[in-house]
Amino acid sequence: ELISNSGAVPGIKVDTGVKKLALSNGETVTEGLDGLSDRLKKYYDLGARFTKWRGVFKISIKNNLPTIESIKANAHALGRYAALVQEANMVPIVEPEVLMDGEHDIKTCYQVTRIVLEETFYQLSNSNVKLDGIILKPNMILNGAESGIKNETSQVSEMTLDCLNKNVPKDVPGIAFLSGGQTEFEATKNLNEINKMNDSNFIMTFSYGRALQQSALKYWSKDIKDISGTQKVFNHRANMCTLAAQGK
């Protein structure tokens, strides 16, 4: 558990890990709800003002995944987590991630993401979560990484926007995409196109890991003493993502 110290409002990841779902075919559920209320009070006192919890959903045509059990278990945890966070006067980042791994096509990703979002917001509603006080961190709608099908930016953008507009309540103020296995260039290009096409009231931005850090880490690994050069590479990528969040 790490609190950021970048000069911005600090936040914290509060789930304790993705664990195997009992009696499942390799599916997972995210744990960490036990004792979370008390932990949140400590994090708030340390200065944290937002938190993140990730639920992971794997698509497999062969094994008929994700199962309803997996979707319900993870969505229920996201709902309970978000309620506890709002009760602690912090902002919950709700991250239901449909993994890019798999041989599925983009239409399958759309349908699974639709079902996951539907159940997630059902559970958020059941937990009395105020939707205007959350940030959604979803995946983009993509072909599976092992499908052999190239992702076309225009199709990714159109289907992602369509899925979110139809399945995310209008009360949600902001959507911060995860990069989910895309290259930094793909993730940036797709975000840019999404914002060029975005005619909703949702603010569409990024919450990238690999797609923000990969070039900087690769550069730094060649000479860990070249801090300024590494920062220059990172700053360029951050600037590109910032422009993409504006469709520029």
Side-chain angles (χ1 to χ4, degrees):
E1 296 169 342
L2 300 173
I3 293 183
S4 63
N5 188 24
S6 62
V9 177
I12 191 163
K13 177 183 176 185
V14 295
D15 63 74
T16 58
V18 176
K19 310 289 177 141
K20 184 180 180 297
L21 187 63
L23 301 179
S24 72
N25 189 5
E27 292 187 289
T28 59
V29 63
T30 305
E31 298 181 346
L33 290 168
D34 291 347
L36 180 57
S37 181
D38 290 335
R39 284 189 283 135
L40 287 171
K41 293 174 184 176
K42 295 178 182 177
Y43 302 151
Y44 187 93
D45 290 341
L46 286 169
R49 292 298 179 266
F50 69 89
T51 68
K52 184 177 81 72
W53 183 290
R54 174 176 177 247
V56 181
F57 307 90
K58 181 180 180 181
I59 297 178
S60 172
I61 305 300
K62 178 182 177 181
N63 296 312
N64 197 29
L65 303 180
T67 61
I68 294 299
E69 290 76 16
S70 167
I71 293 171
K72 287 185 176 294
N74 279 288
H76 181 254
L78 284 165
R80 289 183 61 197
Y81 141 79
L84 288 166
V85 172
Q86 287 192 343
E87 189 174 63
N89 294 314
M90 288 187 277
V91 175
I93 296 178
V94 177
E95 182 179 3
E97 178 181 7
V98 177
L99 294 174
M100 189 177 173
D101 304 336
E103 299 178 350
H104 56 278
D105 62 15
I106 196 168
K107 292 181 180 178
T108 303
C109 180
Y110 181 105
Q111 291 302 326
V112 171
T113 302
R114 176 185 64 80
I115 295 168
V116 166
L117 288 172
E118 186 178 78
E119 184 64 26
T120 296
F121 281 102
Y122 174 74
Q123 295 294 344
L124 289 168
S125 177
N126 276 355
S127 295
N128 300 312
V129 172
K130 296 179 180 178
L131 297 184
D132 59 357
I134 74 166
I135 296 171
L136 179 68
K137 183 175 178 179
N139 53 281
M140 295 180 188
I141 307 301
L142 302 161
N143 291 294
E146 289 84 48
S147 67
I149 307 171
K150 182 181 178 181
N151 286 304
E152 300 294 342
T153 301
S154 59
Q155 185 183 34
V156 169
S157 305
E158 289 173 7
M159 294 186 73
T160 299
L161 283 168
D162 186 73
C163 189
L164 294 174
N165 283 327
K166 289 180 178 177
N167 298 287
V168 177
K170 306 308 179 190
D171 291 344
V172 176
I175 293 172
F177 289 102
L178 55 91
S179 51
Q182 299 179 78
T183 69
E184 54 194 10
F185 303 109
E186 290 170 337
T188 307
K189 189 175 180 181
N190 288 333
L191 177 62
N192 187 66
E193 189 66 20
I194 285 170
N195 275 295
K196 286 169 68 176
M197 298 173 62
N198 182 21
D199 59 357
S200 72
N201 290 324
F202 296 131
I203 296 171
M204 305 279 193
T205 186
F206 63 95
S207 179
Y208 293 165
R210 184 189 310 173
L212 189 60
Q213 304 165 2
Q214 192 169 32
S215 285
L217 289 171
K218 186 176 181 180
Y219 182 93
W220 187 56
S221 68
K222 296 175 182 177
D223 182 2
I224 62 173
K225 294 181 180 180
D226 188 1
I227 295 173
S228 61
T230 304
Q231 289 173 333
K232 183 178 180 181
V233 173
F234 180 83
N235 287 340
H236 172 72
R237 180 49 40 199
N239 187 46
M240 293 299 100
C241 289
T242 300
L243 291 171
Q246 303 170 68
K248 298 179 180 179

